[in-house]
Amino acid sequence: MVTFEQIVTEIKARKYRPVYLFMGDEPYYIDELTDMLTETVLPEEERDFNQSILYGMETNVTAVITMARSYPMMSDHQLIVIKEAQNLSKIEELEVYVKNPLKSTILVLNYKGGSLDKRKKLYAEIDKMGAIFESKKIPEYKIPAFITSYILSKGLSIDQKSAQMLSDYLGNDLSKLTNEIAKLLIAIQPGQMRITADLIEENIGISKDFNNFELLNAIINKNIFKVNQIADYFEKNPKNNPMIMTMSVLFNFFSNLMICYWAKNKTEQGLATELGLRNPYQAKDYVIALKNYNAFKCMEIIGLLRIYDAKSKGVDNNSAPDGELLKELLYKITH
């Protein structure tokens, strides 16, 4: 199995493998690599004759093998992409071809929503003769880092608050995230090198003052007036501020805070190391929270979050709307 970066480097260097298997639960990287191959392997004038895009549900193994064993027309390569390869019936029978692939054929299996059985001979043969990349979902707590890295790759920067705003609002759907970031890249003014909270508010509709980042900051610092302000705003704008997302943000923070109580070194540097954060600055909120919430209160808060998560899903709650439940929860957290 190889990494995303390794495959990208090889493609840019035009070092192609005869068979690729891109699989997993995160479609973004699968599509990125597939698109990169379709845009790189053949010049545009050769694609009509030597590039085939098939769908697993609409083809069969025999047809794929027959096509893969044919030679390109006036070109060094032919590219065959099987999209939704998870729907290709009897896919394991491709093993016959993969054992002895044609050097001029590049076969791409775009396998989404799961992984090819690693116990199958086909998996072992692709691993030996070609390249396998497994695209895994990025945990939500790592999404701000992904956003920062992605925007840096575009020659721009973004501050921590703005990255967290996008993460909280859009979740860990990378395709959705990159589409929304594309809007920001179009909207940014010439000469402007930074994605800001103002730009996000103007173009995506996330309030720069009333969002989960600001709510968590207010809770950490026990700014009860600000907590209540944001809770009121969330109640009036439930579609833009779903309770499930707020609960996730709070649960992630207080779960990490629970780890911090047992850390030997409770400085920013020490907590950053304990939590696997990129730099000590990211741990400053935990240092503040350790002073404002003792371990027993933290345990109580985690319990409250579980209770109110259940209530938001209708457990022991017949009528209270999310906005009312959130206000009740926030009061118990901060008092």
Side-chain angles (χ1 to χ4, degrees):
M1 198 176 295
V2 294
T3 65
F4 177 84
E5 292 77 14
Q6 185 178 346
I7 295 175
V8 168
T9 300
E10 288 181 0
I11 293 174
K12 287 180 177 179
R14 303 186 68 81
K15 294 180 180 177
Y16 304 121
R17 313 267 186 129
V19 186
Y20 292 95
L21 170 60
F22 304 142
M23 63 182 190
D25 295 320
E26 177 48 70
Y28 172 78
Y29 290 112
I30 294 172
D31 288 338
E32 281 287 294
L33 291 174
T34 302
D35 291 345
M36 194 172 185
L37 283 165
T38 58
E39 292 166 7
T40 306
V41 173
L42 298 168
E44 193 168 353
E45 63 272 15
E46 293 182 13
R47 292 174 192 169
D48 286 344
F49 298 103
N50 297 304
Q51 181 168 294
S52 301
I53 310 293
L54 306 174
Y55 289 83
M57 188 71 77
E58 300 171 0
T59 190
N60 58 70
V61 169
T62 301
V64 172
I65 292 175
T66 300
M67 189 177 292
R69 283 178 172 164
S70 64
Y71 289 92
M73 293 180 63
M74 297 177 289
S75 177
D76 292 331
H77 296 103
Q78 72 159 328
L79 175 67
I80 302 172
V81 177
I82 313 298
K83 292 193 172 183
E84 300 173 10
Q86 71 276 6
N87 296 323
L88 181 61
S89 179
K90 299 180 181 179
I91 190 173
E92 63 276 3
E93 292 180 6
L94 279 175
E95 176 205 345
V96 175
Y97 171 75
V98 175
K99 279 183 176 179
N100 186 28
L102 206 62
K103 290 183 179 180
S104 57
T105 294
I106 298 169
L107 176 62
V108 181
L109 300 176
N110 188 306
Y111 194 109
K112 293 180 179 177
S115 299
L116 186 67
D117 192 337
K118 297 176 183 178
R119 298 168 297 180
K120 298 288 186 182
K121 290 182 179 179
L122 175 60
Y123 182 93
E125 289 297 333
I126 296 175
D127 196 31
K128 182 168 66 176
M129 303 299 296
I132 298 174
F133 168 70
E134 186 169 6
S135 184
K136 296 180 180 179
K137 279 284 186 185
I138 297 180
E140 288 187 359
Y141 73 91
K142 290 186 176 180
I143 292 297
F146 169 84
I147 292 169
T148 300
S149 177
Y150 182 80
I151 290 174
L152 281 173
S153 74
K154 302 298 180 181
L156 301 171
S157 63
I158 186 169
D159 60 86
Q160 182 187 357
K161 173 184 173 178
S162 300
Q164 191 68 54
M165 282 171 62
L166 288 172
S167 173
D168 294 345
Y169 187 69
L170 299 170
N172 66 342
D173 183 331
L174 300 190
S175 297
K176 186 177 180 181
L177 262 172
T178 52
N179 285 339
E180 293 298 322
I181 291 171
K183 294 179 185 177
L184 298 175
L185 299 180
I186 292 170
I188 200 165
Q189 296 297 314
Q192 187 178 349
M193 301 300 292
R194 193 177 187 84
I195 301 293
T196 64
D198 287 329
L199 189 71
I200 293 170
E201 184 174 48
E202 290 166 12
N203 292 278
I204 297 180
I206 313 170
S207 170
K208 71 180 191 316
D209 297 315
F210 301 101
N211 54 68
N212 284 316
F213 180 91
E214 294 295 344
L215 175 62
L216 181 59
N217 184 264
I219 291 171
I220 290 167
N221 290 280
K222 282 205 167 182
N223 185 340
I224 295 173
F225 177 74
K226 184 68 174 178
V227 169
N228 291 334
Q229 271 191 318
I230 296 172
D232 285 337
Y233 180 86
F234 280 12
E235 186 175 29
K236 293 171 185 174
N237 300 273
K239 289 184 178 179
N240 290 341
N241 305 280
M243 185 170 176
I244 189 171
M245 187 61 68
T246 301
M247 299 284 282
S248 176
V249 170
L250 297 180
F251 185 80
N252 285 339
F253 180 82
F254 283 101
S255 296
N256 280 343
L257 185 62
M258 201 71 236
I259 295 171
C260 294
Y261 291 110
W262 315 116
K264 292 181 180 179
N265 182 352
K266 292 183 173 60
T267 63
E268 289 183 12
Q269 180 67 58
L271 295 182
T273 301
E274 190 74 29
L275 297 174
L277 303 176
R278 287 190 171 188
N279 59 65
Y281 178 79
Q282 292 176 289
K284 68 180 182 63
D285 287 339
Y286 292 101
V287 173
I288 296 169
L290 284 173
K291 296 175 182 176
N292 289 333
Y293 298 91
N294 61 40
F296 294 106
K297 182 63 178 178
C298 184
M299 290 176 65
E300 179 191 334
I301 290 169
I302 291 172
L304 286 168
L305 288 167
R306 294 186 185 279
I307 291 169
Y308 278 83
D309 177 59
K311 284 189 175 186
S312 71
K313 295 169 182 172
V315 179
D316 296 327
N317 172 41
N318 295 322
S319 59
D322 282 357
E324 186 178 316
L325 288 174
L326 182 62
K327 284 184 172 181
E328 191 177 293
L329 169 65
L330 294 176
Y331 177 85
K332 291 181 179 180
I333 287 175
T334 53
H335 288 80

